[in-house]
Amino acid sequence: MNATDRTLAGLLSAALSDDPSRPLVTYYDDATGERVELSVTTFDNWVAKTANLLQDELSAEPGDRLALLLPAHWQTAVWVLACASVGVVTDLTGDPSAADLVVSGPDTLDAARSCPGERVALSLRPLGGRFPQPPEGFTDYAVEVPGQGDRFVPYAPVAPDAPALALPDGSELTGAQAVERARQDAAARGLEPGSRLLSALPYDGWEGLSAGLLAPLAAGGSVVLAPRLERLDAASLEQRVENERVTHTAA
């Protein structure tokens, strides 16, 4: 196993080399009816653009801490891998006032204003839409990310033993630790290449982030992310499982 295989960005690179056209993240918002499916290639493109935004426009550097105030969403998954690509520590539900940067959804803007550094806001509207009125003091992600480059090269290689994730329980994981833990979770869930995991868990800790992104990625599988799955009745849920060829669930 080489160094890149022991970073979260390396997991995505491996998936891109293995089967770039396969689905990686399928997102449902069962409150609005939105469905978004991203292949490995499309997801990687979003990650590259976001990493370029971080590195070049927001001047983020390896070791900086980013408070991620977003729900389980396909764009949240993009930000986790973009931070890993740059070497920025993703602090899940972290304290914005203690962070170098903050990324916020529309419901956490007030809390995010306490960040002394760069602030990015996501509308989380369908198709990655802009805010109707950009929030004052924030970069509108949907406005800035389309013009970023489609390929990303970090100014400095990201070391596997560098901090990568800060979890709400106060623990931190290096890239290598996060990769190993994701692989262990994948094995424990019985995930294999081609597995489709339906996850309704929030991205508010390791369990949700692992089930909703990292374990399927590590296994060569994919995730169907549906954080509002409780809105479906039993028949609709059964149809979702059939339509999406779901092999495993986490709820």
Side-chain angles (χ1 to χ4, degrees):
M1 186 183 299
N2 60 39
T4 58
D5 292 332
R6 298 172 56 236
T7 66
L8 293 177
L11 288 182
L12 181 57
S13 296
L16 195 64
S17 298
D18 179 53
D19 186 359
S21 63
R22 68 176 173 85
L24 180 59
V25 177
T26 304
Y27 171 76
Y28 278 90
D29 184 340
D30 288 301
T32 66
E34 178 186 10
R35 179 187 183 276
V36 176
E37 181 165 284
L38 290 83
S39 67
V40 177
T41 296
T42 303
F43 186 83
D44 179 73
N45 183 254
W46 276 94
V47 169
K49 286 179 175 292
T50 304
N52 280 316
L53 175 67
L54 264 172
Q55 181 173 263
D56 295 333
E57 304 299 330
L58 303 177
S59 301
E61 300 179 349
D64 283 352
R65 299 179 73 86
L66 183 147
L68 192 63
L69 307 185
L70 294 175
H73 191 277
W74 68 268
Q75 289 183 321
T76 314
V78 166
W79 272 96
V80 171
L81 267 296
C83 287
S85 299
V86 178
V88 170
V89 181
T90 300
D91 193 349
L92 293 178
T93 69
D95 178 6
S97 67
D100 299 292
L101 310 95
V102 65
V103 175
S104 173
D107 298 333
T108 50
L109 293 173
D110 287 343
R113 293 184 195 281
S114 66
C115 180
E118 297 284 355
R119 308 177 195 126
V120 181
L122 280 70
S123 73
L124 303 181
R125 300 175 68 197
L127 303 177
R130 304 179 178 188
F131 282 92
Q133 182 66 37
E136 185 177 353
F138 288 82
T139 295
D140 187 338
Y141 176 69
V143 173
E144 298 299 329
V145 78
Q148 301 299 318
D150 294 332
R151 295 179 61 84
F152 175 74
V153 178
Y155 293 151
V158 178
D161 59 354
L165 287 173
L167 304 177
D169 63 6
S171 64
E172 290 194 4
L173 298 175
T174 65
Q177 288 171 333
V179 168
E180 179 58 27
R181 196 164 169 183
R183 287 180 169 142
Q184 290 174 355
D185 287 358
R189 291 185 179 276
L191 300 181
E192 300 174 339
S195 293
R196 293 273 283 167
L197 192 155
L198 172 65
S199 177
L201 300 178
Y203 275 6
D204 60 356
W206 173 261
E207 184 180 8
L209 184 61
S210 174
L213 176 63
L214 299 181
L217 177 61
S222 58
V223 61
V224 180
L225 193 60
R228 296 180 176 178
L229 197 62
E230 77 282 353
R231 291 175 174 263
L232 297 187
D233 58 28
S236 298
L237 176 57
E238 184 177 351
Q239 190 65 52
R240 171 77 52 81
V241 169
E242 180 180 347
N243 290 346
E244 294 294 347
R245 305 180 302 283
V246 169
T247 61
H248 298 74
T249 60

